[in-house]
Amino acid sequence: MACSRLNPVFNLAKQQARQMMIKRAATIGIDWPQEVANLCARGGEMAFSPQWDAELAAIANPSLTYPDYYLRPFHAYEQGNLSWEAATEVEVAAHAVHARIWPDAGAQGDARLRQSYHAVVQAQVSQPPQEILDLGCSVGMSTLALQGVYPQARVTGVDLSPYFLAIAHYRCQQQQTQATWIHAPAEATGLPTAQFDLVSACLLYHELPQSAAIAILQEARRLLRPGGYLTIMDMNPGSAVYAQMPPYILTLLKSTEPYLDEYFALDLEAEIVEAGFLPPTVTANSVRHRTVIAQVPPL
Ligand SMILES: C[S@@+](CC[C@H](N)C(=O)[O-])C[C@H]1O[C@@H](n2cnc3c(N)ncnc32)[C@H](O)[C@@H]1O
């Protein structure tokens, strides 16, 4: 097992990785504790607004069975993605993690990463999609960013964490945007066949064991209309950044990402073709990210 709860080296690495992120947030002007406190309070008097639990109850699918691979610690959280602590820290963590992709980006790094992804998508997807599905939508950062690029489209976000989805719903209300949030595994969404023009998986694949990654390709194929597009943006296993990363930093990274080795070893392009798509294009959209785009054969 790459990252064991019983392995003290990995446990130490996890704590260090977390502290590194909090410090990095401060260097780009993000007050991590304050941002999290604001979100928890929802602008109210109480430190943790009771509305969050109501929101959670409304969005959670009580009959969902979580896949075992999802119930492991992720990102230095013992409960993985299934806690308020993880959910309320997603946004600040994303800003910290993406701050250094471009040396001058700082707090704009996350937005710039998403723009670089969408630029590749817009260059290759000829018709603006009307129905968009965001798999592994988390707290809605990727979903709402896609909505910004395609304002005429209906967007749906699917995620396994009801805590993350509750925050997505809140952000969506704040921005007065319409989106549908579904608590389901991306490999079995329960959504109708051929409903979507574009299925996006942004920063999802590095969090998946290979069996789930392949099952999600098959589900995306089912959900897309003829001629529709699957777009995947994630870490680029071929990037020199990872090849040249000091072993200690790579250990830190793997301590918070239990399926990174499986992701790096997956032949994604071959599996995409195996799932019934046309051969994909692969475009580097940052020094360490790639965008993979595959079309369902048109009728
Ligand atoms: C790193 S986050 C990426 C979030 C978001 N797309 C973004 O770009 O900010 C990965 C997300 O995938 C979700 N996830 C992981 N496995 C999943 C699965 N099998 N089905 C649905 N969601 C999943 C996690 O809960 C998490 O919210």
Side-chain angles (χ1 to χ4, degrees), residues 70-90:
Y70 192 73
L71 297 173
R72 294 185 55 171
F74 274 94
H75 306 150
Y77 301 105
E78 274 308 298
Q79 308 297 321
N81 294 324
L82 295 171
S83 72
W84 285 121
E85 187 191 13
T88 53
E89 294 188 346
V90 166

Side-chain angles (χ1 to χ4, degrees), residues 69-70 75 81 114 134-138 141-142 158-161 164 184-187 202-204 206-208 216:
Y69 69 81
Y70 192 73
H75 306 150
N81 294 324
R114 297 180 195 283
D134 184 21
L135 295 175
C137 65
S138 180
M141 294 170 86
S142 48
V158 166
D159 204 279
L160 266 173
S161 171
F164 290 10
E187 48 272 63
C202 179
L203 301 171
L204 166 67
H206 72 277
E207 290 201 359
L208 299 170
I216 292 171

Side-chain angles (χ1 to χ4, degrees), residues 8-26:
V9 175
F10 268 88
N11 279 340
L12 182 64
K14 267 194 305 194
Q15 290 319 316
Q16 287 181 332
R18 179 178 162 75
Q19 287 312 317
M20 202 168 80
M21 283 305 109
I22 294 174
K23 278 191 198 145
R24 187 183 293 175

Side-chain angles (χ1 to χ4, degrees), residues 59 131-135 137-138 140 143-144 147 153-159 165 168-169 172 177-183 191 195-196:
I59 221 150
E131 290 277 356
I132 298 178
L133 178 63
D134 184 21
L135 295 175
C137 65
S138 180
T143 328
L144 298 178
Q147 177 81 88
R154 266 199 297 269
V155 294
T156 303
V158 166
D159 204 279
L165 290 170
H169 182 241
C172 196
T177 306
Q178 295 288 327
T180 304
W181 307 107
I182 295 176
H183 182 211
L191 290 164
Q195 186 184 329
F196 295 94

